[in-house]
Amino acid sequence: AQSVAQPEDQVNVAEGNPLTVKCTYSVSGNPYLFWYVQYPNRGLQFLLKYITGDNLVKGSYGFEAEFNKSQTSFHLKKPSALVSDSALYFCAVRDGASGSARQLTFGSGTQLTVLP
Amino acid sequence: KAGVTQTPRYLIKTRGQQVTLSCSPISGHRSVSWYQQTPGQGLQFLFEYFSETQRNKGNFPGRFSGRQFSNSRSEMNVSTLELGDSALYLCASSLPGYIGTSGYNEQFFGPGTRLTVL
């Protein structure tokens, strides 16, 4: 069965500092990995995805994520955090193995707070 | 291009009632998925539809059902509501990636329907 873990419920970072939101996954086949962000009382917004190719994926609003197959991780990063980045971030995975469940499985979410 | 729309945005029901939620996907998107979001359980997959067929189903009781119409619009229904059904219900649409499911394509989410069961 596929699963994804976000080990930190809360991440605090000062504005202007780099930020990292951690994500690890478990699938039987090739992983399809996604990051989404949710602002209060809103639906989820897509940030970026990894399907294949370069391990460093660039996405919206200056975010990027690094795929590490050996560590089964897909951490979200941004070189310089903004107060407006404060939101709830979700990592998600879909197993690319044939015959596997095709639904998207989400992590528990990480609340990012950027302090001015 | 208009985003995913969900109606109604807010609902208040009492235990035992049933409810129907509606979702209109982005034009051209034929795959629609539904999720339940609660503080305790997080985001949980309910079901996915493509071309009016249910492709995937999550671990929810039979009280939760859905359907998709020929124009790709989707509805989900919850019968015999329980207090624990109070949640934000999110709909997402995407282009089909493989075999009619979302596959490797990102999903675009609507703002959700906030259901409160009293």
Side-chain angles (χ1 to χ4, degrees):
Chain A
Q2 63 193 38
S3 65
V4 59
Q6 293 180 243
E8 300 159 319
D9 291 336
Q10 175 83 39
V11 170
N12 296 326
V13 63
E15 187 175 28
N17 282 2
L19 69 87
T20 299
V21 182
K22 296 179 180 178
C23 171
T24 59
Y25 66 90
S26 175
V27 295
S28 57
N30 292 323
Y32 299 150
L33 293 155
F34 305 82
W35 275 101
Y36 288 85
V37 60
Q38 186 176 34
Y39 295 97
N41 301 314
R42 303 278 296 277
L44 277 67
Q45 295 179 33
F46 170 74
L47 283 177
L48 50 79
K49 68 179 179 183
Y50 172 84
I51 304 302
T52 187
D54 290 341
N55 290 341
L56 186 63
V57 179
K58 294 189 182 297
S60 306
Y61 312 118
F63 284 94
E64 57 189 27
E66 187 168 12
F67 170 68
N68 188 315
K69 187 173 183 178
S70 63
Q71 297 186 5
T72 62
S73 66
F74 189 56
H75 301 330
L76 181 70
K77 301 181 179 184
K78 188 173 183 181
S80 178
L82 300 172
V83 172
S84 57
D85 292 332
S86 299
L88 186 58
Y89 289 80
F90 290 95
C91 181
V93 68
R94 179 181 281 113
D95 194 336
S98 60
S100 64
R102 300 295 174 84
Q103 67 256 31
L104 201 57
T105 297
F106 284 86
S108 55
T110 298
Q111 181 66 48
L112 172 68
T113 301
V114 181
L115 305 169
Chain B
K1 189 182 272 191
V4 177
T5 58
Q6 292 187 245
T7 56
R9 290 293 309 278
Y10 301 91
L11 265 178
I12 299 176
K13 293 285 187 179
T14 57
R15 281 182 299 173
Q17 288 186 308
Q18 77 167 22
V19 66
T20 298
L21 312 181
S22 181
C23 171
S24 292
I26 291 172
S27 178
H29 286 191
R30 296 166 62 196
S31 182
V32 174
S33 298
W34 287 90
Y35 297 87
Q36 181 196 66
Q37 186 178 21
T38 60
Q41 299 297 317
L43 274 160
Q44 293 186 284
F45 171 77
L46 280 158
F47 22 66
E48 179 177 20
Y49 287 88
F50 174 76
S51 290
E52 303 176 65
T53 301
Q54 188 180 90
R55 294 291 185 173
N56 284 301
K57 189 177 191 305
N59 294 324
F60 278 82
R63 300 185 298 107
F64 291 81
S65 63
R67 59 177 176 169
Q68 187 181 32
F69 302 95
S70 59
N71 62 358
S72 295
R73 190 177 68 85
S74 178
E75 289 181 347
M76 67 163 282
N77 183 276
V78 188
S79 63
T80 320
L81 284 166
E82 301 177 358
L83 295 179
D85 297 332
S86 294
L88 180 66
Y89 289 88
L90 293 165
C91 169
S93 75
S94 69
L95 294 168
Y98 54 78
I99 319 177
T101 66
S102 298
Y104 44 77
N105 286 317
E106 60 271 29
Q107 296 182 344
F108 294 85
F109 284 78
T113 294
R114 174 75 63 184
L115 172 64
T116 302
V117 182
L118 303 176

